[in-house]
Amino acid sequence: MTVIDVDVVIAGGGIAGFAAAASLREFGWSALVVEPGQRAERRLAGELIHPPGMAGLVDLNLCDNDGFPGAVPIRGFQVFREEGVGAVELPYDLDSRSGLPGNALEHGMIRSNIEAAAARLPKVALWRGARVAAVDVSAPGEVARVTIASAGKKETVACRMVVGADGASSAIRRLAGIGHWRRDLSHITGYRIDAAALPTAGFGHIFMTRKAPVLAYEIGGGQARVMFDRLISSDETPADHRLHASAGLPVALRAAVGEAVATQRGLGFVSADVFVNTVGKGPLLLVGDAAGTCHPLTASGISVAIGDAGRLRQALRDSGGEVVRAITLYARRRRASQRARRLLASAVHEACGREDEAARLIRDGLIDYWELDARGRKASMALLTMSDSRILAIVREMASLLMIGLRRSYPKAQPLSDRLIEGTRLTAALSALLLRHVSTIVRAR
């Protein structure tokens, strides 16, 4: 009989890993979090958490109702047209679930707060400076063997479950023989600026420039982050792209960005669609970015990691603690939300990042829709925050966008033939956009 050294080994001491560890508390299982150690201040990663994500953190005892110390409460988003003037406001629906606002804070601070909260939970241990070197999930029954390397030595432990929470480039996937497919999308570069340069406090900002969207949000301490998104296919230099994208920003923000670019190196990463063949294999499962990624325009990454922890806990409840059965339930229940998330992120990023007339038609129609339809604003934010994860809801909102666009852009004074032509163009653009991203639904796990 195999002796269990620890109940669960979690590879990755980030937000996803500690959330997974916290989800095991009610079962009395011991969790060992293995973290090689990363310089969080050198990484550009998630810094905005939607209200459902905050509710999940509170539920896992990783945060209280006041949010993180020093974090900025976020009430929603403001979206600006290409001219950089006049924003449409998309507030969170704070009447749903917990009524909590979103939170924005520098990534390293979010991570350290969650780590400190997890350390106070019983039976959660952190092995820093170590890495998982091998995983064997082939043994019969719910037993796995994990080899951990640290300081030139290796130790093998037996456990009932292994959790891969080690990010988009997950080593656990490779060690477990789980295949994946990657498609690079864009180069994202972020700079710190004075938060006073943002148009409105307490909101995330999306600027629809002619080149690609520019994102801006507060990160605490009077600071804000501005992120530029340059498509992989772009033939512009990073400097030229920033110059052209900045031209559409409000004057104060443009000046702050210019100063930041002159004095900072900037943090960057390559955004990508990462699709995995499976999120579960025997007693091993993947959570957060290790289970796949999409473009961060919808700011859903942290919320997904927290939601995965909640799904794992519920699956263990429903399976009576039977690990392999729980992982099968987890994988099935996760799929629907990921399909909606990926379709939304892929379609919106393409519509915001292309310069052709069809993409501009969709962008203008989308902002018209939000300006004119309160129900549409609420429904769109439910999809953005993953409170609603139905593919049908996305299709319904695209149909609503079409109807609003026709009413706003093509008044009855125009000849019927002109209105029909313009309506056909918008319908064709939306249909083609959806069809191009059908593969994201098929591949999602």
Side-chain angles (χ1 to χ4, degrees):
M1 179 177 178
T2 302
V3 176
I4 300 293
D5 298 302
V6 63
D7 290 304
V8 183
V9 173
I10 299 172
I15 295 167
F18 284 116
S23 74
L24 305 171
R25 182 170 56 95
E26 72 179 66
F27 308 102
W29 289 0
S30 57
L32 174 61
V33 180
V34 180
E35 169 56 40
Q38 299 182 5
R39 299 291 297 274
E41 70 275 11
R42 295 180 180 177
R43 299 177 63 238
L44 186 60
E47 295 175 317
L48 196 151
I49 310 175
H50 297 310
M54 292 304 300
L57 287 173
V58 171
D59 187 43
L60 292 169
N61 284 340
L62 294 177
C63 184
D64 59 32
N65 285 316
D66 294 328
F68 295 117
V72 178
I74 299 295
R75 304 193 300 276
F77 283 80
Q78 290 188 335
V79 183
F80 291 76
R81 294 182 185 271
E82 290 181 11
E83 297 79 11
V85 295
V88 56
E89 191 170 291
L90 302 176
Y92 287 130
D93 180 15
L94 300 185
D95 293 328
S96 62
R97 296 190 65 179
S98 65
L100 295 170
N103 256 210
L105 185 63
E106 190 271 329
H107 179 78
M109 294 298 295
I110 295 177
R111 184 168 172 163
S112 62
N113 274 289
I114 290 178
E115 179 180 329
R120 294 191 289 268
L121 299 176
K123 297 189 176 183
V124 175
L126 171 63
W127 191 348
R128 193 180 294 280
R131 62 181 177 84
V132 174
V135 175
D136 182 1
V137 293
S138 62
E142 298 182 356
V143 175
R145 292 187 179 277
V146 180
T147 301
I148 302 171
S150 177
K153 298 180 180 180
K154 291 184 178 180
E155 180 178 342
T156 299
V157 300
C159 59
R160 67 177 77 211
M161 184 167 67
V162 182
V163 178
D166 51 346
S169 300
S170 172
I172 286 293
R173 287 199 308 256
R174 174 178 53 81
L175 294 172
I178 297 175
H180 75 279
W181 178 81
R182 177 185 175 106
R183 174 178 60 200
D184 290 344
L185 301 172
S186 61
H187 298 277
I188 296 181
T189 308
Y191 298 90
R192 283 177 177 261
I193 64 166
D194 190 326
L198 296 181
T200 308
F203 279 85
H205 300 78
I206 301 175
F207 299 93
M208 301 286 198
T209 75
R210 284 193 173 90
K211 290 296 179 181
V214 176
L215 312 181
Y217 52 87
E218 296 172 77
I219 56 172
Q223 297 285 295
R225 184 84 68 195
V226 176
M227 297 202 298
F228 292 89
D229 184 284
R230 182 169 60 91
L231 295 177
I232 291 292
S233 58
S234 174
D235 56 3
E236 285 188 309
T237 66
D240 285 343
H241 175 80
R242 284 194 305 269
L243 180 64
H244 294 149
S246 296
L249 300 179
V251 174
L253 181 56
R254 186 163 67 246
V257 167
E259 181 180 348
V261 169
T263 57
Q264 300 172 28
R265 183 177 181 180
L267 300 177
F269 71 99
V270 176
S271 73
D273 280 330
V274 175
F275 297 91
V276 301
N277 292 347
T278 181
V279 298
K281 184 176 181 179
L284 179 146
L285 78 152
L286 306 173
V287 297
D289 285 352
T293 64
C294 58
H295 192 277
L297 182 60
T298 58
S300 58
I302 296 179
S303 295
V304 166
I306 297 162
D308 284 349
R311 273 184 285 271
L312 172 59
R313 181 179 61 184
Q314 189 60 52
L316 285 167
R317 288 172 179 168
D318 294 343
S319 68
E322 295 179 21
V323 170
V324 174
R325 183 175 165 226
I327 291 173
T328 301
L329 287 173
Y330 164 84
R332 187 174 73 234
R333 292 169 177 175
R334 186 183 196 272
R335 190 172 296 127
S337 65
Q338 291 308 301
R339 285 174 172 171
R341 174 203 183 204
R342 286 180 173 280
L343 177 60
L344 185 66
S346 298
V348 172
H349 180 245
E350 180 185 327
C352 292
R354 282 175 26 212
E355 297 183 62
D356 57 86
E357 188 59 33
R360 187 170 300 179
L361 195 63
I362 293 172
R363 289 197 296 270
D364 288 344
L366 189 58
I367 296 178
D368 288 345
Y369 173 44
W370 289 332
E371 284 180 338
L372 292 173
D373 194 325
R375 187 212 62 81
R377 291 193 292 272
K378 184 174 181 178
S380 295
M381 289 301 283
L383 289 166
L384 176 71
T385 62
M386 299 183 67
S387 297
D388 188 346
S389 57
R390 297 171 298 154
I391 295 292
L392 181 60
I394 296 177
V395 175
R396 183 192 65 199
E397 292 315 299
M398 287 200 165
S400 299
L401 185 159
L402 173 63
M403 298 308 297
I404 290 289
L406 291 174
R407 282 165 38 199
R408 175 69 174 265
S409 303
Y410 320 119
K412 292 181 179 179
Q414 276 190 310
L416 178 61
S417 59
D418 289 352
R419 283 187 282 139
L420 289 174
I421 291 171
E422 295 301 323
T424 300
R425 289 177 60 221
L426 182 55
T427 302
L430 285 170
S431 300
L433 182 67
L434 277 177
L435 288 173
R436 279 194 294 273
H437 296 284
V438 167
S439 63
T440 66
I441 301 174
V442 176
R443 291 176 178 270
R445 293 291 181 268

